Amino acid sequence: MSKPTLEMTNSRPNDATLLADEAKYCSFGDTVHYVEPPKIFDGCEGSYMYDKEGKAFLDLQMWYSACNFGYANERLNNVLKKQIDTLPQCASQYLHPTKIELAKTIAQGMEKRFGYEGRVHFNVGGSQCIEDSLKVVRNATGGKSLMFAFQGGYHGRTLGASSITSSYRYRRRYGHFGDRAMFVPFPYPFRRPKGMTAEEYGEHLVAEFARLFETEYHGVWDPKVGQAEYAAFYAEPLQATGGYIVPPRNYFKGLKKVLDQYGILLVVDEIQMGFYRTGKLWSIEHFDVKPDVVVFAKALTNGLNPLGGLWAREELINPEVFPVGSTHSTFASNPLGTAVGLEVLKMTSETDYEKMVMDSGAYFLEGLKTLEKKHKEIGEVDGLGLALRAEICTEDGFTANKALVDKMVDIGMSGDLDWKGTKMGLVLDIGGYYKNVITFAPSLHISRQEIDQGIELLDQLITRAKKEL
């Protein structure tokens, strides 16, 4: 556990003063106050965040998978610094080299993986890129505005993204959403019906979805003209906010067959699971299907710049179909972001990230399994690569236990855990349908020693939390 490279400073106001000012002057409309009181950090490096006193907090969620390559990654930071001294700004109506190079690298990679020619369009973050994808899809399907999406799915909180995000709480106060998606069940193996294997469960859900097209009276299909009312299906290959759920390997192949049969596009949201989080550049690669559109953001710049984008098949996004001015953002494809994004893809092409992530993920999962055996409140651990989950339950090992996991988060953020005689903290993120799942997204460069440390701290957390409830 190294010390942060940034020098801690005592020149700023103390935390109590800052929190008082934040309470008076900052909107509470973001997610800061999910944790009370909010935590103030002053430095970061590798797998750790540091507070003003220099106390280390092992981060096992890495800014919701935005910092896949570790905090203060020297190689990526240096590229950003160089770009600041070269071409720090450029209006998005003009070109600069790294925009073109990054788009080419992504598009050629997609063609190699999926066999389709296509193009890349950039924007400034995940929700905005989802918005752009909705424009691409609506435009390519003659203006159809209805989509399929998953229960438990999360695609952002802008108005368009909220319409395909299943949680009503993101829409409730903002008027009527006439174009709200039809939400269908995502395969949730831990909570599948009794008597089914995971694969049978996947096949069952595909068959239930296919039944929507059997007759016009199910409301999605007109057999007389052979046309669906729905334009696309928006899917996270592994649900993120939904609890890092790993579907059965046969599920997406069956789903895509139905979508192709009825002319419905598959839009894959890789905003949280892309860039080797699951051991593949794109998590959809694990499931042997070819998407029509891929949306990405977050780890493209390792959290150094809010840059994201989408890739779409050529026939959906070529200049004749999606002409100049179809969408725009002032900061889209900014040179700071595209320079770092290009370096991320260069870096990942030089190292076997697939092997590295799968090996580390297997090691981490084994550690979680030891905790599962020790604590009957851990109902399930699972994962793919370094996207891992632990479902926290009551003593029956199944009933969701939000109170226990909330207590664990609070203890972790208190910075009062013991590591070989030193006080430290643990940063976790909580997801799941019942808000009882710890979702692990550690640095892809996490060491074995740091994984061991994380398992030990998790053991302390759940042990203390059970006593304090």
Side-chain angles (χ1 to χ4, degrees), residues 61-71 76 244 271-275 277 297-307 344 441-443:
Q61 60 96 36
M62 297 306 289
W63 200 0
Y64 318 115
S65 198
C67 294
N68 283 6
F69 309 102
Y71 289 119
L76 301 177
Y244 280 28
I271 293 168
Q272 193 163 154
M273 292 299 163
F275 301 102
R277 170 55 55 198
K298 288 189 184 290
L300 173 62
T301 64
N302 202 40
L304 292 172
N305 183 279
L307 178 71
V344 163
S443 167

Side-chain angles (χ1 to χ4, degrees), residues 213-234:
F213 301 89
E214 284 184 357
T215 168
E216 66 182 276
Y217 296 103
H218 287 157
V220 304
W221 176 251
D222 182 351
K224 292 183 178 179
V225 297
Q227 187 175 107
E229 189 174 13
Y230 289 73
F233 199 126
Y234 274 74

Side-chain angles (χ1 to χ4, degrees), residues 200-407:
E200 289 170 342
Y201 177 43
E203 291 172 358
H204 168 73
L205 290 180
V206 169
E208 286 296 297
F209 179 67
R211 285 189 65 248
L212 293 175
F213 301 89
E214 284 184 357
T215 168
E216 66 182 276
Y217 296 103
H218 287 157
V220 304
W221 176 251
D222 182 351
K224 292 183 178 179
V225 297
Q227 187 175 107
E229 189 174 13
Y230 289 73
F233 199 126
Y234 274 74
E236 297 167 284
L238 276 70
Q239 289 203 320
T241 301
Y244 280 28
I245 302 172
V246 184
R249 293 300 178 99
N250 62 333
Y251 175 76
F252 274 105
K253 198 165 186 177
L255 178 67
K256 185 62 162 62
K257 185 177 180 181
V258 176
L259 297 178
D260 288 346
Q261 183 177 351
Y262 295 104
I264 297 167
L265 300 173
L266 176 62
V267 182
V268 171
D269 180 339
E270 294 279 359
I271 293 168
Q272 193 163 154
M273 292 299 163
F275 301 102
Y276 289 98
R277 170 55 55 198
T278 66
K280 299 280 190 182
L281 180 62
W282 310 116
S283 60
I284 194 65
E285 293 180 70
H286 289 284
F287 303 105
D288 194 28
V289 299
K290 298 178 179 181
D292 299 294
V293 180
V294 176
V295 184
F296 52 86
K298 288 189 184 290
L300 173 62
T301 64
N302 202 40
L304 292 172
N305 183 279
L307 178 71
L310 67 90
W311 167 91
R313 291 193 289 110
E314 176 71 8
E315 52 265 46
L316 305 177
I317 200 173
N318 69 69
E320 289 71 38
V321 172
F322 204 66
V324 174
S326 293
T327 187
H328 171 78
S329 173
T330 300
F331 298 99
S333 65
N334 70 86
L336 298 178
T338 56
V340 176
L342 185 62
E343 193 66 20
V344 163
L345 292 182
K346 288 179 180 177
M347 186 175 71
T348 55
S349 71
E350 295 166 5
T351 299
D352 190 348
Y353 270 81
E354 181 170 345
K355 178 175 174 26
M356 181 177 78
V357 171
M358 295 305 287
D359 288 350
S360 293
Y363 186 83
F364 202 136
L365 187 57
E366 281 303 309
L368 292 175
K369 287 179 179 178
T370 65
L371 296 182
E372 183 184 20
K373 293 175 182 176
K374 182 176 181 180
H375 299 281
K376 53 190 174 182
E377 292 83 0
I378 301 178
E380 183 200 46
V381 298
D382 194 13
L384 187 57
L386 280 167
L388 302 158
R389 71 190 309 271
E391 183 137 352
I392 307 302
C393 303
T394 60
E395 290 187 358
D396 66 9
F398 187 77
T399 304
N401 193 342
K402 183 178 183 297
L404 180 57
V405 82
D406 286 347
K407 176 63 71 172

Side-chain angles (χ1 to χ4, degrees), residues 97-239:
T98 53
K99 172 190 176 179
I100 302 167
E101 294 173 47
L102 179 57
K104 177 182 177 181
T105 301
I106 293 171
Q108 288 183 337
M110 293 292 191
E111 186 173 358
K112 181 179 179 181
R113 286 173 171 81
F114 303 124
Y116 296 136
E117 291 186 356
R119 296 171 187 259
V120 173
H121 182 89
F122 294 110
N123 209 315
V124 294
S127 295
Q128 291 78 8
C129 296
I130 289 290
E131 296 284 338
D132 284 346
S133 76
L134 286 166
K135 281 190 171 183
V136 169
V137 166
R138 285 185 176 205
N139 182 66
T141 58
K144 291 182 183 179
S145 60
L146 295 179
M147 311 293 159
F148 290 109
F150 281 121
Q151 295 172 10
Y154 179 86
H155 302 285
R157 301 193 199 189
T158 54
L159 290 176
S162 294
S163 73
I164 58 171
T165 293
S166 65
S167 297
Y168 172 49
R169 69 185 179 95
Y170 299 131
R171 294 185 296 277
R172 181 178 57 81
R173 293 177 293 113
Y174 303 111
H176 178 62
F177 284 70
D179 294 327
R180 198 204 77 165
M182 177 184 287
F183 298 107
V184 302
F186 187 85
Y188 192 163
F190 178 62
R191 298 188 179 277
R192 68 183 182 269
K194 291 182 179 179
M196 284 187 182
T197 67
E199 290 70 25
E200 289 170 342
Y201 177 43
E203 291 172 358
H204 168 73
L205 290 180
V206 169
E208 286 296 297
F209 179 67
R211 285 189 65 248
L212 293 175
F213 301 89
E214 284 184 357
T215 168
E216 66 182 276
Y217 296 103
H218 287 157
V220 304
W221 176 251
D222 182 351
K224 292 183 178 179
V225 297
Q227 187 175 107
E229 189 174 13
Y230 289 73
F233 199 126
Y234 274 74
E236 297 167 284
L238 276 70
Q239 289 203 320

